[in-house]
Amino acid sequence: MIWKLVPNWIVKAMGRISYSKKFILFFIAFFLPMIIIMFILFTDIKGKIKQNDTEQHALISLQHFTELLRHTQYYRGLNQSLLRGYDEFDEKVKEKQKLVQTKIKDIDRQIENDWYGFIEKEKWNSIKTQWENVKNEKNTLNSFYGHNQLNSEILLLISNIVNEAHIYLNPEPNMNRLSNTINEDLLIGTERMGQLRAFSSRLTLQDEISEKQQQDLMRMIGGVQLFIDNFNMTTHYIEDFTGDQHLFEEKQQFSKQTSAFLDLLLSNEYQTSNPEIVFSQATSAINSGFTLYDKGNALLLDHLIDVNHSYKKLQLLLGLLFIASILFIYLLFGGAYISVIQTLHSLQKGTSKWTKGDFGARIKVDSKDELKYIGDSFNQLASSFEMNLEENLRIQEDLQNSLKKNNQLATAINKLEIGVIITDPLKKNNPITFVNAGFEKLTGYKAEEVIGRKTSPLQGEKTSLEAKQRIREGIKNQEAFSLEILNYRKDGTTFWNYLSIAPVFENGKVVNYLGLQTDITEQKKADEKIYSLAFYDQLTNLPNYNKLHSIVSEDLKTIMKKATILRLDVARFKNINHARGFTLGDNTLIELAKRLYETVKGEGIVSRQYGDKFTIYLPHIAGKEEIQSKIDNIQAQFHKPFEIDGYTFYLEAAIGVSQYPKDGTDYITLMQHAEAAMFQAKESNDEKLVYYQHKMNRNFEEEYVIENNLRVAIEKNELFLTYQPKLNLKTGEITGMEALIRWRHPELGIVPPIKFIPLAEKTGLIYKLGEWVLGEACNQNKMLQIQGFDPLVVSVNISARQFSNKDYLLSTIDQILTETDLDAKYLEIELTESVFQNPTVVKPVLEEIKKRNIKVSIDDFGTGYSSLSYLKLFPIDVLKVDRAFIKDIIQSQNDQKLTKSMIDIGHGLNLKVIAEGVETSSHIELLKMLECDEVQGYHIAKPLTADEFVEFIKDNQ
């Protein structure tokens, strides 16, 4: 029964106190949890009300900031036309400027009241500063880009308010999606339309639109078209909203007016329109978007107010329920207490007569509960007392005789720490005749509680049948034996007992059995823990690498004909740990382990190897259709959302497959090949499932050999530099050279840079390699000057990874220039366009380089992340036009136009322009005509060793 689970000490403690105190304890035990639960519920509701209030204030603040965004967008559009000479907008610009100033002052007053602390004042001050800058800017482009930056900061501040107020955690899905749509997507979309409004209305004032402006216009139109298509596709749920706001009609109106605006820009009438027509058409569409925003925000605010009212009603209901519960508990316990006390008084009166010797006295109990059973049992006890008294006296006499008989043995072994038990097989059921103090300590039974009884109370339902059978057989065979058995203590707890039993013979006859008990519970726990640590993953309880190794190896020893190993890697799992913490990461792995286990349960084994790596072993399965079916089921688990700790997200996995026996005949080989296939899947943009192929090993082996040899290439003097000269087209002089690294390996031969440079980037060897190249180039350039040659500028390529480590790069450059004594003006740093993706990181580093009088050039211009903005933002000296534009420049008019445009852009920004890949005299003549400054390529000279370059200079200076 369930009552047997109640610990004995609690039963004894309750028996020592009166029923009055018991009922008080029961009342507290019942009432206290109810108070705690009510407190938790009240606290939870209070927290939700507070969060609701925060979200309401946040929505109100968003209305102010979106109104400011609307004014600044409007001002930008008017100001662009005004700056281009359209004076009709002069009064409107002044009027809109006043509106922006008024709104800023209004927001300042609100921020002083703190708006619940979700406004970052530093960002707000930055926005005000940016506004002061752009309103006084008279340059059209600077004003346009300044306004774009201003509005980007306002949008970022709006996003921060949404995040700080947790508006995105609205429990109503449609409300949550509506909040995300209007406070993120819609505002970003209106900003794109505002930029297009300003740009397109300005272009109507020009007599002719350049090809570049036409391209920018089409790109901006495409951006707005993409936004409105995505917006229509992702806001289908707005049809579900009903009420006075008419969101669906407003959405349709917004889409219709936006499309009309785009149609105007794409029509033949656009270039003949005046700014007011274009501006008016765009403003109608943007105003429709802001109307949709206002109505959506109003709907969210009404929803929050309704939810707040429901929370307060729930608070009132809980309060009434609490009062009713108190009254009910009082009546329940009061009635029970009076009923029990009256019955106990009746029991006390009857038993007092019996204790005085009146064995004929009986107890009369009027209640019909368990206390009546006590009274009936007492009456039965009184009737059988005299009968049992004589039997008890006989048992006591036998006990005394047994104690005398075994007195010497008991004295010797009573001091042992281990448990000692002696039984008498000559009596029925082989009863216990002696136990020592160690037995009492081990089992919790006193000697008088077990002597004369069977040993069966030491066994229970968890005691194995095999152990019980072994004891029976040993006693039957009258042999000595030992075993490990799970025994029970008096309080019901279990312990592992190393039990040794031996028969005691007297005159060739067994007269006793001696049992020695040793508690090995802790040893067993340690053994189980060691086994678990050795063979199971402690987070997911899945078999680990060792366990799977054992299982697969044993299977492969059998007559198994086929099997499959799947290696899984969870893509970008570290993002979860970094963004949400390791606890969420661990819980995600546990959930994923459960899904994978359920997917292959009964057909395979799931193992967690380490981190986010899992292995699935599918014995007896190798058919492609069978495997694909299993993999489809596995991938389905990744496609289902993970909802953990309040977050909802998705995962994907790269899967590598190896098969027995075609991909390997042992566990290690199969795992290596599955791992190779998995890494292939990780690196692929398209295939997330890859079957092992033998060529994969060759790729890994080649990369392994190159990496190991590259690590010692510098020490072994295997690296060397070649130099490709640069020619000034106007003077015909050699003005500099580009340093290019080469690697001559004694066994591999000349290793192409394309094979070892990316590997150096990946492994971090690029730092050591780059430092060597920079030092060698500067040193050899200085040697040329010492030999009396005219000073030349040497160009050295710097990788994106080197450039991202500012302190390392600058200190390395300073050290090398100091050691080689090369004037910094004869060093040029070449950067690819990929370096410029993060302007906030790049600009400070370039400024420090320019302070040292070092030149900066952009390599392969036009092929990477080409952006005219960084030509303006960053201190750059040289543009190098990529060889892709020069190769076919003679035959291709497009390449000629593109190259001419890049040359003109460079000259317009006071930059030197160098063309790469010049291979013919025709290239030279055409580039002269296009006014290119310098060239380099095989027509001038192939990359030359240091000695070859010296001879080249002698011939050309």
Side-chain angles (χ1 to χ4, degrees):
M1 293 176 63
I2 190 172
W3 307 115
K4 291 182 179 180
L5 300 177
V6 179
N8 193 48
W9 64 270
I10 294 180
V11 176
K12 290 182 177 179
M14 293 300 293
R16 296 190 187 101
I17 61 177
S18 66
Y19 269 92
S20 299
K21 294 179 179 179
K22 288 177 183 176
F23 271 94
I24 292 174
L25 287 176
F26 295 157
F27 184 85
I28 293 173
F30 195 91
F31 188 66
L32 186 59
M34 187 181 72
I35 292 178
I36 294 173
I37 291 171
M38 287 294 181
F39 176 78
I40 292 172
L41 291 175
F42 270 102
T43 303
D44 180 61
I45 295 173
K46 184 178 179 181
K48 290 179 178 178
I49 292 175
K50 183 178 179 181
Q51 170 62 23
N52 188 286
D53 291 337
T54 301
E55 291 181 34
Q56 289 186 43
H57 283 83
L59 288 177
I60 293 171
S61 71
L62 289 177
Q63 293 173 352
H64 287 271
F65 284 106
T66 51
E67 186 176 353
L68 175 61
L69 177 65
R70 186 175 183 176
H71 290 331
T72 57
Q73 288 179 351
Y74 200 99
Y75 178 83
R76 173 182 56 198
L78 293 170
N79 196 42
Q80 283 293 295
S81 297
L82 178 64
L83 292 177
R84 292 294 295 182
Y86 194 71
D87 295 335
E88 282 81 354
F89 281 168
D90 182 63
E91 289 301 321
K92 291 183 179 180
V93 168
K94 293 178 181 179
E95 178 185 349
K96 189 55 68 173
Q97 189 177 99
K98 289 180 181 179
L99 286 175
V100 173
Q101 292 291 136
T102 302
K103 178 48 65 177
I104 289 175
K105 291 179 181 179
D106 185 22
I107 292 175
D108 278 333
R109 286 194 298 272
Q110 296 290 348
I111 290 179
E112 288 177 0
N113 297 327
D114 198 22
W115 256 340
Y116 278 66
F118 44 72
I119 304 297
E120 295 187 27
K121 293 184 179 180
E122 291 182 1
K123 292 185 177 180
W124 170 239
N125 291 333
S126 174
I127 290 172
K128 292 194 292 184
T129 302
Q130 181 70 8
W131 162 248
E132 293 299 325
N133 293 335
V134 299
K135 76 177 183 180
N136 298 318
E137 181 60 57
K138 300 304 180 183
N139 180 276
T140 306
L141 285 178
N142 290 345
S143 175
F144 180 77
Y145 291 122
H147 274 91
N148 293 351
Q149 180 64 30
L150 169 63
N151 291 346
S152 295
E153 291 184 13
I154 295 174
L155 288 171
L156 180 60
L157 183 58
I158 290 172
S159 179
N160 287 341
I161 293 173
V162 172
N163 290 332
E164 288 296 325
H166 300 296
I167 297 176
Y168 58 90
L169 294 180
N170 195 305
E172 175 64 33
N174 276 352
M175 289 298 175
N176 189 17
R177 288 191 286 178
L178 178 62
S179 175
N180 289 338
T181 298
I182 65 174
N183 289 308
E184 297 283 350
D185 301 339
L186 181 58
L187 292 181
I188 292 173
T190 58
E191 171 55 15
R192 289 183 182 176
M193 294 171 64
Q195 293 177 10
L196 180 56
R197 172 177 62 185
F199 187 79
S200 60
S201 59
R202 171 163 57 87
L203 291 183
T204 59
L205 296 171
Q206 297 181 192
D207 296 331
E208 183 176 346
I209 300 176
S210 69
E211 182 177 353
K212 177 63 173 59
Q213 289 174 330
Q214 183 65 33
Q215 291 174 352
D216 289 343
L217 178 63
M218 296 309 296
R219 177 178 55 79
M220 296 174 75
I221 291 173
V224 173
Q225 185 64 58
L226 180 61
F227 154 71
I228 200 65
D229 291 342
N230 289 338
F231 183 82
N232 287 332
M233 200 163 41
T234 58
T235 55
H236 58 85
Y237 62 90
I238 288 183
E239 298 179 21
D240 299 333
F241 290 108
T242 58
D244 298 332
Q245 303 300 340
H246 301 294
L247 286 187
F248 180 67
E249 290 79 3
E250 290 297 336
K251 170 194 165 184
Q252 290 182 314
Q253 181 68 13
F254 174 53
S255 299
K256 180 179 178 181
Q257 293 190 358
T258 302
S259 298
F261 173 47
L262 296 180
D263 291 341
L264 173 62
L265 297 183
L266 294 171
S267 68
N268 296 328
E269 301 172 3
Y270 163 62
Q271 293 187 358
T272 61
S273 301
N274 63 42
E276 292 190 23
I277 294 175
V278 175
F279 190 91
S280 174
Q281 185 72 50
T283 301
S284 296
I286 294 172
N287 287 344
S288 179
F290 278 105
T291 300
L292 176 60
Y293 173 87
D294 292 338
K295 292 192 175 184
N297 237 3
L299 183 63
L300 286 172
L301 195 57
D302 291 341
H303 172 71
L304 290 174
I305 293 172
D306 292 340
V307 171
N308 209 355
H309 289 161
S310 65
Y311 285 152
K312 291 179 179 178
K313 290 179 182 178
L314 184 57
Q315 270 187 320
L316 177 61
L317 180 61
L318 285 175
L320 295 175
L321 180 61
F322 180 68
I323 294 172
S325 299
I326 293 175
L327 180 61
F328 174 78
I329 293 171
Y330 172 77
L331 295 176
L332 178 66
F333 277 91
Y337 173 75
I338 294 173
S339 172
V340 169
I341 292 300
Q342 288 176 347
T343 304
L344 290 177
H345 285 164
S346 175
L347 287 171
Q348 183 180 15
K349 184 177 179 181
T351 54
S352 63
K353 292 181 181 180
W354 191 84
T355 56
K356 293 177 181 179
D358 185 4
F359 296 117
R362 296 293 182 268
I363 295 173
K364 183 179 180 182
V365 180
D366 294 331
S367 67
K368 294 183 179 180
D369 53 14
E370 287 81 357
L371 291 175
K372 183 178 186 303
Y373 301 147
I374 295 175
D376 294 341
S377 298
F378 180 84
N379 292 335
Q380 293 176 6
L381 177 64
S383 301
S384 61
F385 177 79
E386 290 182 347
M387 296 173 58
N388 293 332
L389 182 59
E390 184 178 347
E391 178 66 15
N392 287 338
L393 290 173
R394 186 186 64 78
I395 292 174
Q396 186 176 5
E397 183 179 356
D398 291 342
L399 176 62
Q400 290 175 351
N401 291 336
S402 296
L403 288 173
K404 289 178 182 179
K405 180 178 179 181
N406 297 298
N407 185 55
Q408 290 181 341
L409 179 62
T411 301
I413 65 177
N414 203 41
K415 295 181 180 180
L416 292 175
E417 288 294 327
I418 64 174
V420 178
I421 180 172
I422 299 174
T423 64
D424 186 353
L426 301 178
K427 293 183 179 180
K428 184 180 180 181
N429 295 325
N430 193 18
I432 299 172
T433 59
F434 174 82
V435 293
N436 72 339
F439 174 89
E440 293 180 334
K441 181 179 179 181
L442 183 61
T443 66
Y445 287 102
K446 297 295 184 182
E448 56 268 25
E449 293 178 307
V450 297
I451 290 177
R453 300 180 182 276
K454 297 189 295 183
T455 59
S456 55
L458 297 177
Q459 301 171 2
E461 59 182 11
K462 294 183 180 180
T463 304
S464 70
L465 296 177
E466 292 81 1
K468 294 178 183 179
Q469 181 63 26
R470 180 69 184 97
I471 293 174
R472 285 194 291 268
E473 290 177 354
I475 291 175
K476 179 181 179 181
N477 297 331
Q478 297 184 351
E479 62 182 358
F481 61 94
S482 299
L483 76 158
E484 294 180 359
I485 184 171
L486 187 67
N487 279 156
Y488 283 74
R489 297 185 177 92
K490 181 181 178 181
D491 60 9
T493 59
T494 60
F495 67 97
W496 278 100
N497 175 18
Y498 184 76
L499 177 62
S500 296
I501 297 178
V504 179
F505 291 92
E506 187 176 302
N507 298 324
K509 186 177 181 181
V510 177
V511 294
N512 291 106
Y513 279 99
L514 173 65
L516 301 180
Q517 298 175 310
T518 304
D519 187 352
I520 60 170
T521 303
E522 293 303 319
Q523 178 184 335
K524 293 287 286 186
K525 289 181 179 178
D527 291 344
E528 292 173 359
K529 183 63 175 177
I530 291 171
Y531 183 84
S532 175
L533 289 172
F535 292 104
Y536 288 90
D537 174 52
Q538 299 303 296
L539 178 65
T540 62
N541 291 325
L542 292 175
N544 63 10
Y545 178 89
N546 295 330
K547 184 65 175 177
L548 187 63
H549 189 175
S550 174
I551 293 171
V552 175
S553 297
E554 286 300 317
D555 283 355
L556 295 182
K557 292 177 183 178
T558 66
I559 59 173
M560 178 181 289
K561 295 183 178 180
K562 56 186 178 180
T564 298
I565 295 286
L566 307 180
R567 288 283 282 145
L568 279 72
D569 177 89
V570 182
R572 300 179 300 282
F573 183 76
K574 64 181 180 180
N575 294 348
I576 296 177
N577 285 332
H578 293 166
R580 300 301 183 191
F582 289 98
T583 300
L584 179 64
D586 288 346
N587 292 338
T588 302
L589 290 174
I590 292 171
E591 172 62 20
L592 176 57
K594 291 178 181 177
R595 293 187 183 186
L596 294 176
Y597 174 79
E598 291 297 327
T599 301
V600 301
K601 183 169 63 175
E603 297 179 302
I605 295 173
V606 181
S607 168
R608 181 186 178 218
Q609 307 296 289
Y610 58 90
D612 57 2
K613 307 292 189 299
F614 290 84
T615 299
I616 297 178
Y617 167 52
L618 300 173
H620 310 295
I621 296 176
K624 202 146 190 176
E625 292 184 1
E626 251 185 311
I627 294 172
Q628 189 60 50
S629 174
K630 303 300 180 202
I631 292 174
D632 289 343
N633 292 337
I634 291 168
Q635 290 177 328
Q637 299 305 314
F638 286 89
H639 296 159
K640 293 191 299 186
F642 286 78
E643 297 180 352
I644 299 173
D645 297 343
Y647 297 99
T648 300
F649 51 91
Y650 294 83
L651 299 176
E652 62 178 21
I655 303 176
V657 183
S658 68
Q659 296 178 291
Y660 170 85
K662 76 179 184 69
D663 297 329
T665 57
D666 62 89
Y667 174 77
I668 299 296
T669 304
L670 289 170
M671 287 291 285
Q672 288 176 342
H673 291 172
E675 183 92 359
M678 181 194 73
F679 277 111
Q680 187 78 24
K682 283 180 65 176
E683 294 176 359
S684 172
N685 293 325
D686 302 319
E687 295 293 333
K688 293 304 179 184
L689 168 65
V690 173
Y691 284 82
Y692 172 76
Q693 297 178 1
H694 291 292
K695 67 179 181 180
M696 293 178 184
N697 259 9
R698 292 195 295 272
N699 294 338
F700 280 112
E701 289 172 5
E702 181 183 31
E703 185 174 300
Y704 175 79
V705 170
I706 290 177
E707 178 184 348
N708 284 338
N709 283 279
L710 185 59
R711 291 185 182 276
V712 295
I714 295 177
E715 289 77 5
K716 291 185 176 182
N717 202 28
E718 295 173 359
L719 301 179
F720 65 97
L721 291 182
T722 62
Y723 299 92
Q724 189 164 41
K726 299 177 184 177
L727 176 71
N728 187 307
L729 289 178
K730 293 181 180 178
T731 65
E733 296 177 348
I734 300 300
T735 58
M737 65 283 197
E738 180 179 0
L740 303 169
I741 188 171
R742 296 293 184 264
W743 179 15
R744 182 187 293 108
H745 189 272
E747 296 177 2
L748 301 176
I750 298 296
V751 182
I754 191 64
K755 283 194 174 183
F756 68 87
I757 293 296
L759 184 60
E761 286 270 10
K762 184 165 64 174
T763 60
L765 289 172
I766 194 66
Y767 290 109
K768 184 177 179 182
L769 212 61
E771 189 173 337
W772 180 86
V773 172
L774 185 61
E776 191 73 7
C778 290
N779 184 59
Q780 292 183 357
N781 195 20
K782 183 64 179 179
M783 289 299 101
L784 289 174
Q785 295 177 13
I786 292 174
Q787 293 174 30
F789 293 106
D790 292 341
L792 300 175
V793 176
V794 63
S795 300
V796 178
N797 288 281
I798 300 295
S799 73
R801 186 164 182 176
Q802 289 175 276
F803 200 81
S804 64
N805 193 333
K806 173 185 176 183
D807 295 335
Y808 157 79
L809 179 62
L810 295 176
S811 63
T812 300
I813 292 174
D814 291 341
Q815 179 183 349
I816 289 174
L817 289 176
T818 301
E819 291 175 352
T820 60
D821 196 28
L822 180 68
D823 193 326
K825 67 182 180 181
Y826 297 119
L827 174 63
E828 180 175 289
I829 299 299
E830 286 198 11
L831 307 171
T832 59
E833 295 181 357
S834 61
V835 172
F836 298 93
Q837 294 181 65
N838 192 341
T840 58
V841 174
V842 173
K843 189 174 182 180
V845 183
L846 288 178
E847 289 173 347
E848 288 294 325
I849 290 175
K850 291 299 295 178
K851 286 179 183 178
R852 290 160 170 77
N853 203 24
I854 299 171
K855 295 179 176 58
V856 178
S857 69
I858 300 178
D859 197 13
D860 302 333
F861 182 72
T863 60
Y865 299 86
S866 299
S867 173
L868 297 180
S869 63
Y870 65 61
L871 297 180
K872 179 185 70 174
L873 289 175
F874 303 129
I876 298 167
D877 301 291
V878 181
L879 289 184
K880 297 190 72 174
V881 180
D882 187 73
R883 66 185 68 250
F885 299 100
I886 306 302
K887 179 182 177 183
D888 299 320
I889 193 171
I890 302 299
Q891 299 83 11
S892 174
Q893 290 295 319
N894 287 337
D895 284 346
Q896 289 183 26
K897 292 178 181 178
L898 288 172
T899 303
K900 176 60 177 173
S901 297
M902 287 185 273
I903 293 172
D904 290 344
I905 289 171
H907 289 167
L909 296 173
N910 295 320
L911 304 180
K912 182 193 293 182
V913 181
I914 299 177
E916 297 181 294
V918 174
E919 298 181 353
T920 67
S921 58
S922 300
H923 287 162
I924 295 288
E925 295 305 319
L926 180 57
L927 288 169
K928 281 183 179 180
M929 186 177 66
L930 296 179
E931 299 182 345
C932 183
D933 299 310
E934 296 182 2
V935 294
Q936 71 179 83
Y938 274 59
H939 184 71
I940 312 303
K942 68 175 183 177
L944 306 170
T945 64
D947 292 338
E948 291 172 341
F949 188 77
V950 170
E951 295 301 318
F952 178 83
I953 293 297
K954 288 179 180 179
D955 295 337
N956 289 275
Q957 274 196 349

